Amino acid sequence: MKARRRILDVVLAAAVSFVSIPQTSSAACTAGTLDAAFGAAGTNGYVQSGPLSLDGVTGAIEGVIVSSADSGIVTNSLVGSDSTGNAILGTAKFRHGGVLDTTFGGFGLSSPGGFVPGASGTTSTLTQDPSGNVIVARADGAGATVTRFTPTGNLDTGFGTSGSTSVALPNLLALIIGASTAADGSIFVAASAPNPPAPNLTQPVVLKFTSAGVLDPSFGSGGIAFFYPSTLVDPATWGRATEVRVLPSGQILVAGRFQIAAGHRVFFAARLLASGSLDATFGTGGVTLVDFGPVVAQGRKIVVQDDGKVVIAGTQFDNANNSFISLARLLTNGALDATFGTGGQVSVTTGFGAAGFDVSIQNNGKILVGGATYNDVAQTS
């Protein structure tokens, strides 16, 4: 089995490290175990993409791009620190065998600038456009910043201002964000922020940037689209968007969670038209709420199957704070798929609890969920 085949089977990424796990066995590897051929000799399948740990840093640094060609693997990373100890955000690129690709940015690392102080809660994710450019999206309490690198890891000075563009959006939540690109190179970033005309604490929001790096005035209001289910009228409710995907039709799928009552959160999926308005043909008025009962259910990531069905992955906590990996699958019209689990919903746990962080579809059509399990009843590790 070639190393490239192994890394394309399954890649798990977390913060500043990732591993290769082969999907099938061969003379060189055993399915489901760390791939010792990945990375430098002696790393036993584990690669750290940055020189720093995440200790003391709030927020999230996530995202990995795995290319089917020889361009390798790109991941978000921490690439250094300033004189006061603030971590500098960057991207790292590896060849498929897990060795740093020093042709990327000249060192294998590139940085869009800016810092990730422990108290700021800055969040970052990345995606790739059809031209192979690497898009890094960041959010903090002041707003969102998008940076574009060329496939060789250099800042694309034709994008925004010297490669980056920033949008002021006061009190933008620096939690989990999503980013995706369309066929024309436009960029969508999903996050959460207060919508000034609305009474809710926060609402899901999607920002659209043109391929030139400016907000697209044809989308939402000046490139920014807030949305909220018409069924939630209590000002105490709130919503957070954590993922966005652009469909071939030009419609935009968004996922995350809503708090519909104290201690009661639900998954959601919404579909927007190219204009940024809700697509009334999806779910109820453009939004589907997936209720696991009077518990905390936090939708996080989505994947679209070849048949157009949408899988949402996240974590559910019961009233005793036990955690479960939870999934929901929707039909193309936003209705729950009754052929999946129980009424379109599935919850699983292992040991002392589990959390669902990401979801993908394998080549054989099976659903793969990445996340975490806990080693003690208090779920402290």
Side-chain angles (χ1 to χ4, degrees):
M1 180 182 294
K2 295 182 179 179
R4 182 181 305 171
R5 175 60 182 169
R6 287 196 295 269
I7 187 61
L8 290 179
D9 283 334
V10 182
V11 174
L12 304 179
V16 294
S17 63
F18 58 97
V19 299
S20 172
I21 299 176
Q23 187 181 35
T24 57
S25 298
S26 74
C29 57
T30 302
T33 62
L34 285 174
D35 180 1
F38 181 73
T43 61
N44 294 318
Y46 174 92
V47 171
Q48 183 167 309
S49 61
L52 304 177
S53 73
L54 286 177
D55 292 343
V57 177
T58 59
I61 297 175
E62 60 182 19
V64 63
I65 299 167
V66 182
S67 172
S68 58
D70 287 335
S71 54
I73 308 156
V74 179
T75 180
N76 260 336
S77 178
L78 298 176
V79 299
S81 60
D82 67 6
S83 59
T84 61
N86 290 328
I88 302 174
L89 177 68
T91 56
K93 182 179 178 184
F94 294 83
R95 300 187 186 279
H96 283 297
V99 178
L100 197 65
D101 183 353
T102 56
T103 66
F104 184 78
F107 303 94
L109 300 167
S110 292
S111 176
F115 304 104
V116 187
S120 76
T122 299
T123 295
S124 176
T125 190
L126 57 78
T127 186
Q128 193 170 34
D129 69 15
S131 298
N133 297 311
V134 176
I135 313 297
V136 179
R138 293 176 287 160
D140 57 30
T145 298
V146 176
T147 302
R148 191 168 73 191
F149 294 97
T150 68
T152 56
N154 298 311
L155 280 170
D156 185 348
T157 56
F159 181 83
T161 302
S162 301
S164 292
T165 185
S166 295
V167 174
L169 205 56
N171 298 313
L172 185 71
L173 288 184
L175 294 168
I176 305 163
I177 62 173
S180 185
T181 60
D184 63 358
S186 56
I187 302 162
F188 295 82
V189 177
S192 313
N195 184 6
N200 314 98
L201 180 63
T202 60
Q203 292 192 353
V205 62
V206 178
L207 296 82
K208 181 183 179 183
F209 299 88
T210 69
S211 59
V214 297
L215 284 172
D216 185 345
S218 69
F219 182 81
S221 176
I224 302 174
F226 286 93
F227 62 88
Y228 214 74
S230 59
T231 55
L232 297 184
V233 296
D234 188 339
T237 63
W238 51 258
R240 295 174 183 167
T242 57
E243 179 69 300
V244 60
R245 285 286 180 266
V246 181
L247 300 176
S249 63
Q251 297 165 316
I252 302 103
L253 275 174
V254 189
R257 74 285 304 253
F258 280 103
Q259 176 151 302
I260 62 175
H264 189 179
R265 299 178 193 173
V266 299
F267 286 15
F268 87 79
R271 193 165 70 194
L272 308 182
L273 302 173
S275 63
S277 59
L278 285 167
D279 179 358
T281 67
F282 182 86
T284 301
V287 182
T288 295
L289 303 181
V290 182
D291 194 346
F292 290 84
V295 296
V296 172
Q298 303 193 142
R300 184 175 176 120
K301 296 297 180 181
I302 54 173
V303 66
V304 181
Q305 298 182 170
D306 289 342
D307 59 5
K309 293 180 180 180
V310 179
V311 179
I312 315 171
T315 305
Q316 176 192 158
F317 300 87
D318 65 17
N319 293 326
N321 204 36
N322 299 307
S323 61
F324 307 83
I325 293 173
S326 294
L327 300 169
R329 189 164 73 185
L330 308 180
L331 303 175
T332 56
N333 64 0
L336 280 165
D337 180 2
T339 68
F340 183 76
T342 302
Q345 300 170 219
V346 171
S347 293
V348 296
T349 190
T350 58
F352 297 106
F357 293 157
D358 210 343
V359 62
S360 185
I361 304 295
Q362 295 187 138
N363 294 340
N364 60 7
K366 293 183 178 180
I367 299 168
L368 178 69
V369 180
T373 60
Y374 298 99
N375 298 321
D376 56 55
V377 68
Q379 298 184 354
T380 58
S381 65

